[in-house]
Amino acid sequence: MQQIEWQDFARVELRVGSIISAAHNPKAIKPAYVLKVDLGELGIKTSSAQITAHYQAEDLIGRQVLCVCNFAAKRIAGITSEVLVTGVYDPDNKVVLASFDMPVANGARLA
């Protein structure tokens, strides 16, 4: 594993957001949702997320997730993805969302 300096990590804007909408993206080659995420002071951002294996769109509404907010926007399957919703792969290579066990403010930065 390559080590990084604290300054490298500090440059990554990891913030909490609440999913306010989720819909299937019919243009995606691999099944994906188009998410709208409320990031508090940063506003509402769009993300493309391949998380359909474990999550139904309607069950994602209100869920708080951890997002990388300072990547450059990227065009993915017909949408502009502005943030990366984070997660980890399970043993079947399906994404499990990084989330919180207690409510926190939208836009809060990872400590």
Side-chain angles (χ1 to χ4, degrees):
M1 172 175 26
Q2 181 183 9
Q3 288 189 333
I4 63 171
E5 298 296 324
W6 178 257
Q7 300 91 320
D8 297 322
F9 175 72
R11 291 179 47 217
V12 181
E13 287 278 331
L14 288 160
R15 294 189 180 245
V16 177
S18 291
I19 298 173
I20 59 172
S21 72
H24 285 279
N25 185 347
K27 293 184 179 182
I29 295 170
K30 294 181 181 178
Y33 294 129
V34 176
L35 306 176
K36 295 286 185 183
V37 183
D38 181 351
L39 289 152
E41 65 189 35
L42 298 179
I44 296 171
K45 304 292 183 182
T46 302
S47 183
S48 177
Q50 293 176 352
I51 56 173
T52 59
H54 290 304
Y55 305 98
Q56 297 298 314
E58 59 273 10
D59 296 333
L60 291 167
I61 308 305
R63 184 182 188 106
Q64 288 194 301
V65 291
L66 185 64
C67 300
V68 178
C69 297
N70 62 333
F71 277 144
K74 183 176 183 177
R75 196 87 174 138
I76 300 172
I79 67 138
T80 299
S81 188
E82 302 171 289
V83 296
L84 173 69
V85 174
T86 64
V88 297
Y89 290 109
D90 71 9
D92 296 322
N93 212 33
K94 308 297 183 194
V95 176
V96 176
L97 290 171
S99 61
F100 300 90
D101 60 357
M102 297 169 64
V104 292
N106 287 336
R109 190 159 181 193
L110 184 71

